[in-house]
Amino acid sequence: MDIVVLDGYALNPGDISWKQIERLGNITVYDRTAAEETVSRIGHAEIVLTNKTLITESVLELCPAVRYIGVLATGYNVVDLKACSSRGIIVTNVPGYSTRAVAQFVFALLLEICSHVRLHGDSVRRGDWITSPDFCYWKAPLVELDGKTLGIFGYGSIGRTVAQIAQSFGMNVLCCTRSPDKIPAGSGVFPVDREQLFAGSDVISLHTPLTEETENLINRQTLARMKDGVIIINTARGPLVNEADMRQALECGKVGAYGADVVCREPMATDNPLKDAPNCILTPHIAWATKEARQRLMGIAADNIAAFLQGNPVNRVC
């Protein structure tokens, strides 16, 4: 069985092994694949693994040997599922591998916003503490999370884990979810509608899939209904946030800070309105990318292929 990995570098830049998948077939790994290279690189392979390389209907028309597509991520919008379904191609994803890593990153962003560790560390490195007339100083307001209200939009595995961590900081937790019945009674997480979440939260963390309903969720109108100085964290999908409206809200102080690991167009475009916005921390979509999470991803991807070969596919999205 021939296996082609179209864009393996993000998962494995060289610090983990492909051995779990190598045992399942003849594997060819490409670090990256441009759109015009996709068809030739798939060739006659039956199994294709992709992270962000698009698998479109036009690609599938020219690659009739494909029987299985494994997405090396949780989101699978890079694959034309309708085209796969009509051809009997099985598509799987890798859920749950990065839950702890992403939840940790949410608080890495939030704690940097609240405690300004980098700002003060750089200040000390410059010698500011040596020349200070006082035993301590701070260059930006410091914020304590205890007693603050965190609003979580979405209550999947990441949202649940973020809620647990927030409670350990003494935060009150609100949650807007399509399935409020899944929030356990007595958990200390209070289900609310989106208007209550926007109005009542000191911090909002986004953990919802990108759909027609959630695209542009954070915009000028919804921002106006939030508390002045609200902190917003986005480790989900860039298009959940209208970036032009977010910049305006940051400039006028309506939003106290925005921390995001995602933008609407990735890699970031030169004209992204948030690139040099005030009180804005952007990171290059790395919340998922701890070595531990990538090893889990590799293992689940291998298990997905093995289950397909045995005739019992798992984590199937098509």
Side-chain angles (χ1 to χ4, degrees):
M1 189 72 68
D2 289 333
I3 303 171
V4 171
V5 183
L6 293 174
D7 48 2
Y9 186 83
L11 169 58
N12 181 16
D15 59 343
I16 61 177
S17 172
W18 293 101
K19 286 183 179 179
Q20 295 176 81
I21 296 177
E22 288 172 350
R23 291 194 292 264
L24 302 171
N26 303 313
I27 183 173
T28 301
V29 179
Y30 297 100
D31 283 348
R32 303 168 187 85
T33 294
E36 63 273 14
E37 299 173 317
T38 305
V39 170
S40 63
R41 289 188 170 182
I42 292 175
H44 299 290
E46 298 99 330
I47 294 176
V48 178
L49 302 183
T50 182
N51 190 323
K52 295 295 181 288
T53 302
L54 297 178
I55 307 294
T56 63
E57 183 171 20
S58 60
V59 167
L60 294 172
E61 286 176 353
L62 297 172
C63 300
V66 175
R67 296 172 51 204
Y68 171 92
I69 298 172
V71 181
L72 299 173
T74 302
Y76 45 86
N77 57 305
V78 296
V79 179
D80 187 330
L81 298 184
K82 184 177 179 180
C84 290
S85 180
S86 68
R87 291 168 171 79
I89 298 171
I90 289 173
V91 182
T92 67
N93 71 337
V94 182
Y97 73 94
S98 64
T99 296
R100 289 287 174 181
V102 175
Q104 173 180 305
F105 204 86
V106 167
F107 283 89
L109 289 170
L110 181 55
L111 291 172
E112 175 59 26
I113 288 167
C114 291
S115 298
H116 302 285
V117 173
R118 180 61 182 268
L119 173 69
H120 292 95
D122 286 348
S123 172
V124 171
R125 184 178 291 272
R126 287 194 304 268
D128 295 348
W129 202 8
I130 295 172
T131 59
S132 172
D134 301 307
F135 80 96
C136 75
Y137 62 92
W138 51 95
K139 301 181 74 66
L142 306 176
V143 177
E144 188 171 292
L145 293 177
D146 184 64
K148 299 292 190 299
T149 297
L150 172 67
I152 299 174
F153 204 99
Y155 198 64
S157 60
I158 297 174
R160 290 193 296 272
T161 304
V162 168
Q164 293 167 1
I165 297 172
Q167 289 173 322
S168 73
F169 277 100
M171 301 186 78
N172 307 307
V173 181
L174 308 178
C175 181
C176 179
T177 172
R178 291 176 297 180
S179 305
D181 54 304
K182 292 184 179 180
I183 300 177
S187 66
V189 177
F190 298 95
V192 295
D193 62 29
R194 68 170 59 188
E195 297 304 319
Q196 291 171 313
L197 185 137
F198 290 150
S201 300
D202 301 298
V203 181
I204 294 173
S205 191
L206 304 178
H207 300 288
T208 184
L210 177 63
T211 65
E212 290 183 2
E213 182 183 358
T214 61
E215 185 173 6
N216 210 37
L217 172 70
I218 306 300
N219 57 50
R220 185 175 302 181
Q221 289 73 36
T222 54
L223 287 165
R225 297 197 284 273
M226 297 178 191
K227 292 183 178 182
D228 291 343
V230 63
I231 296 170
I232 300 176
I233 306 293
N234 184 7
T235 55
R237 290 292 182 265
L240 297 174
V241 173
N242 182 305
E243 292 175 338
D245 291 353
M246 176 60 73
R247 179 174 184 121
Q248 291 180 355
L250 287 164
E251 288 179 335
C252 73
K254 177 65 181 183
V255 173
Y258 179 54
D261 188 47
V262 288
V263 292
C264 288
R265 176 182 165 191
E266 297 174 355
M268 179 187 282
T270 56
D271 60 350
N272 187 294
L274 295 175
K275 183 165 64 73
D276 58 354
N279 299 316
C280 181
I281 299 175
L282 299 177
T283 52
H285 206 142
I286 57 171
W288 66 279
T290 63
K291 185 175 182 179
E292 294 84 354
R294 289 184 290 109
Q295 288 172 324
R296 283 192 294 272
L297 194 162
M298 184 75 78
I300 297 170
D303 290 344
N304 285 350
I305 297 171
F308 162 73
L309 293 174
Q310 293 162 7
N312 297 298
V314 297
N315 294 321
R316 184 174 179 175
V317 298
C318 173

